[in-house]
Amino acid sequence: MKEKVCGNLLIIGGAEDKKNECIILRHFIEEAGGSNGKICILTVASEVEEQMGKMYVQVFQRLGCTSVEVVHIKDRKQAAEKQTVKALKEAKGIFFTGGDQLRITGLLGGTIAEKIIQEAYHQKKIIAGTSAGASAMSDTMIIGGDTDTPEKDSIKMAPGLGLLGGAVIDQHFSQRGRIGRLLLAAAMNPLILGLGIDEDTAVHIRDNGVLTVLGRGTAMIVDASSTVMSNVCETGEQRPLYLSPVTLHVLSEGCIYSLTNRSMLNS
Amino acid sequence: MKEKVCGNLLIIGGAEDKKNECIILRHFIEEAGGSNGKICILTVASEVEEQMGKMYVQVFQRLGCTSVEVVHIKDRKQAAEKQTVKALKEAKGIFFTGGDQLRITGLLGGTIAEKIIQEAYHQKKIIAGTSAGASAMSDTMIIGGDTDTPEKDSIKMAPGLGLLGGAVIDQHFSQRGRIGRLLLAAAMNPLILGLGIDEDTAVHIRDNGVLTVLGRGTAMIVDASSTVMSNVCETGEQRPLYLSPVTLHVLSEGCIYSLTNRSMLNS
């Protein structure tokens, strides 16, 4: 197995509740040290960064946070600015907003800011990401793809931040019917787990490789490691994917799953 | 295992190609005895039966069929009419169009017409159904449900025609993101296989319990018989389904799967 989890990741499938119980965001605050913990919001994924930043500041303040800072990174230069570095270093929790995951890696990858995020992660500080911010966390990330029948050319991937090894993450999962492309991703390298997270749903992965689900929807894990028959590496074929058998785990709030053992522990 | 297959079923996930190669419809014609075989089109599922009937007659004639008859059943009385009985008895292949699966069972169930269809099936005549016509083939059929996160109340089922035992069929599968409700159906009784078929895709099930895939998309088989953890029968719970592990088979054109062994044989 290739799982690599060194810290605390809160991976959110997008559209997390910001108005009612806010279970996921409250969990993030708790993990970042409670109301006195310092939170840093990274809007790098978004093209409407001002709006996005303000919205999350309001939500976190309403939930009792006294120290919330927003960091906008509109170009790679900004990723090395003093203010950015300071805010990220002081943070007890870092939150990636949604937007476009390619902006996260393209603007942050290889910068000082990224290095500090990696350090924070190894220091077991909570790193959260929603939607694009979720996708970017894995070694290889999905950046696009059809949601129809799984066909070999129907997925686009790129190198991610590499906080979570051995997995590929997809978000807005049930809502956008993305099982096909996650199956395809898992088929491409069955060493890798496919992790599909619904809206207003999150998985908290700790450094022991144990994952807990929270929120309103389900998280699905696609494990193709026992697959015997597959056409993913046959060339010149026009027909869609076949893959058999594949192991699936459908998880919901309270479910605990071991990435290391590739099995659900309990609920 | 509870599989019950006594004849020849061609189960089509809807929207089969009617203009180009028409692989699925040509296969049906072949199984019904070729261009000289008698085909009976049953429009019972549709509320625009005239239009539906004409469309299929044109297609089948264009594909070389010399004997195509349409049977409309608008009420239960019509299901016992001489003309209906004669057309069904003489048919070498019966084709159920799409529409609403409840019309199929509600108007046909327990009638003479239904009895003749059952007889034709036991005589190994090919029985095809697309979309609603596919759903109606199983013992228990899906008649509605959310396509979002699988939740316990998010599926509606009713008794089907019972041609295929031990399975629940869903159609327009990838196109309408229906994996959630099929997982839920399988969770409700893991004895039952979930069979999800894409548009322009079909499975041909023969009386030896062997299934072959044809067409453009994929057919997915959900097998929850090895599931250890599930909350499907816990009452008073608001949280969505969990189910672990589940075995999935993603099949495409040419794949052969044994319903009896619950495994893919080859491709």
Side-chain angles (χ1 to χ4, degrees):
Chain A
M1 302 299 163
K2 205 188 154 194
E3 293 74 28
K4 188 199 69 185
V5 200
C6 308
N8 259 318
L9 293 174
L10 185 66
I11 312 176
I12 310 166
E16 69 283 352
D17 171 23
K18 297 173 194 74
K19 286 182 181 168
N20 300 307
E21 288 185 80
C22 303
I23 289 170
I24 295 168
L25 296 181
R26 281 185 197 279
H27 182 78
F28 172 68
I29 294 168
E30 214 51 54
E31 290 288 318
S35 52
N36 295 319
K38 274 178 184 269
I39 286 176
C40 178
I41 298 161
L42 264 174
T43 61
V44 57
S46 176
E47 284 187 320
V48 288
E49 68 281 350
E50 294 289 343
Q51 196 181 322
M52 189 68 96
K54 269 182 201 160
M55 190 260 289
Y56 273 107
V57 168
Q58 277 174 10
V59 175
F60 282 123
Q61 285 180 341
R62 191 170 53 74
L63 295 176
C65 287
T66 52
S67 173
V68 188
E69 194 145 1
V70 181
V71 166
H72 301 308
I73 297 175
K74 285 182 273 187
D75 52 46
R76 291 181 60 84
K77 244 171 83 184
Q78 222 172 346
E81 280 174 7
K82 265 191 189 170
Q83 218 182 337
T84 304
V85 170
K86 188 170 179 282
L88 284 170
K89 280 203 166 168
E90 286 176 354
K92 300 286 180 233
I94 294 169
F95 190 96
F96 283 91
T97 70
D100 179 352
Q101 44 268 53
L102 261 187
R103 286 180 58 90
I104 299 178
T105 55
L107 294 176
L108 266 188
T111 64
I112 298 174
E114 192 246 87
K115 207 182 151 198
I116 299 168
I117 294 164
Q118 296 281 357
E119 281 170 10
Y121 176 57
H122 283 88
Q123 289 160 9
K124 322 294 182 203
K125 289 179 185 173
I126 185 88
I127 316 284
T130 185
S131 191
S135 287
M137 286 189 178
S138 51
D139 272 342
T140 303
M141 64 182 184
I142 298 176
I143 56 168
D146 298 339
T147 54
D148 207 315
T149 297
E151 289 183 356
K152 273 182 263 180
D153 294 331
S154 65
I155 194 167
K156 286 179 187 167
M157 301 209 263
L161 292 178
L163 301 178
L164 177 65
V168 164
I169 298 159
D170 214 347
Q171 15 81 0
H172 301 279
F173 192 67
S174 292
Q175 287 74 23
R176 299 192 188 169
R178 288 176 162 174
I179 182 85
R181 73 186 206 184
L182 195 62
L183 283 162
L184 184 60
M188 284 171 157
N189 186 350
L191 186 63
I192 302 298
L193 285 175
L195 179 51
I197 309 172
D198 285 0
E199 293 180 357
D200 195 19
T201 309
V203 301
H204 183 170
I205 306 181
R206 292 172 206 270
D207 61 351
N208 58 357
V210 169
L211 171 163
T212 309
V213 179
L214 57 162
R216 194 174 48 85
T218 56
M220 281 199 207
I221 290 170
V222 171
D223 178 0
S225 61
S226 60
T227 293
V228 179
M229 299 195 214
S230 162
N231 65 340
V232 82
C233 46
E234 289 171 18
T235 52
E237 276 216 18
Q238 289 301 313
R239 66 174 167 173
L241 180 70
Y242 67 78
L243 191 69
S244 167
V246 190
T247 304
L248 200 69
H249 304 270
V250 183
L251 311 175
S252 60
E253 187 155 20
C255 288
I256 298 169
Y257 176 91
S258 164
L259 292 171
T260 317
N261 302 337
R262 296 198 167 200
S263 66
M264 182 173 160
L265 301 180
N266 62 53
S267 59
Chain B
M1 302 298 163
K2 205 188 156 193
E3 293 72 31
K4 187 199 69 187
V5 199
C6 308
N8 259 317
L9 293 176
L10 186 65
I11 312 178
I12 310 166
E16 69 283 352
D17 172 25
K18 296 171 194 78
K19 286 183 181 166
N20 301 306
E21 289 185 79
C22 303
I23 289 170
I24 295 168
L25 296 181
R26 280 185 197 279
H27 182 79
F28 171 69
I29 294 167
E30 215 50 53
E31 290 287 318
S35 53
N36 296 319
K38 273 177 185 269
I39 285 175
C40 178
I41 297 160
L42 263 175
T43 61
V44 57
S46 176
E47 284 188 319
V48 288
E49 69 281 350
E50 294 289 344
Q51 196 181 321
M52 189 69 98
K54 268 182 200 158
M55 189 260 292
Y56 273 107
V57 167
Q58 277 175 11
V59 176
F60 282 122
Q61 284 179 342
R62 191 171 51 75
L63 295 175
C65 288
T66 52
S67 174
V68 188
E69 193 144 2
V70 181
V71 166
H72 301 308
I73 297 175
K74 284 181 274 187
D75 52 47
R76 292 181 60 84
K77 245 171 82 183
Q78 220 171 348
E81 281 174 7
K82 266 190 187 169
Q83 217 181 340
T84 304
V85 170
K86 187 169 177 286
L88 284 170
K89 279 203 168 169
E90 287 177 354
K92 299 284 180 235
I94 294 168
F95 189 96
F96 282 92
T97 70
D100 178 352
Q101 44 269 52
L102 261 187
R103 286 179 59 89
I104 300 179
T105 54
L107 294 176
L108 265 188
T111 64
I112 297 172
E114 192 246 86
K115 207 181 150 198
I116 299 167
I117 294 165
Q118 296 281 356
E119 281 170 11
Y121 176 57
H122 282 89
Q123 289 160 11
K124 322 292 183 207
K125 290 178 183 171
I126 186 89
I127 316 285
T130 185
S131 192
S135 287
M137 286 188 177
S138 50
D139 272 341
T140 303
M141 64 183 183
I142 297 175
I143 56 167
D146 299 339
T147 54
D148 206 317
T149 297
E151 289 182 357
K152 275 182 261 179
D153 295 331
S154 66
I155 193 167
K156 286 178 188 171
M157 301 211 262
L161 291 178
L163 301 177
L164 177 65
V168 165
I169 298 159
D170 213 347
Q171 13 82 1
H172 302 279
F173 192 67
S174 291
Q175 287 73 23
R176 299 192 188 170
R178 287 176 163 174
I179 181 84
R181 73 186 207 184
L182 195 62
L183 282 163
L184 184 61
M188 284 171 157
N189 186 351
L191 186 64
I192 302 298
L193 285 175
L195 179 51
I197 309 171
D198 284 359
E199 293 181 356
D200 195 20
T201 308
V203 301
H204 184 170
I205 305 181
R206 292 172 206 269
D207 62 351
N208 58 358
V210 170
L211 170 163
T212 309
V213 180
L214 56 162
R216 193 174 48 83
T218 55
M220 280 199 207
I221 291 171
V222 171
D223 178 0
S225 62
S226 61
T227 294
V228 179
M229 299 195 216
S230 162
N231 65 340
V232 80
C233 45
E234 289 171 19
T235 52
E237 275 216 19
Q238 287 302 313
R239 67 173 167 174
L241 181 69
Y242 67 77
L243 192 70
S244 169
V246 189
T247 305
L248 201 70
H249 305 270
V250 184
L251 311 174
S252 60
E253 186 153 22
C255 288
I256 298 169
Y257 176 90
S258 163
L259 292 172
T260 318
N261 302 336
R262 296 197 168 199
S263 66
M264 182 171 160
L265 300 180
N266 63 53
S267 59

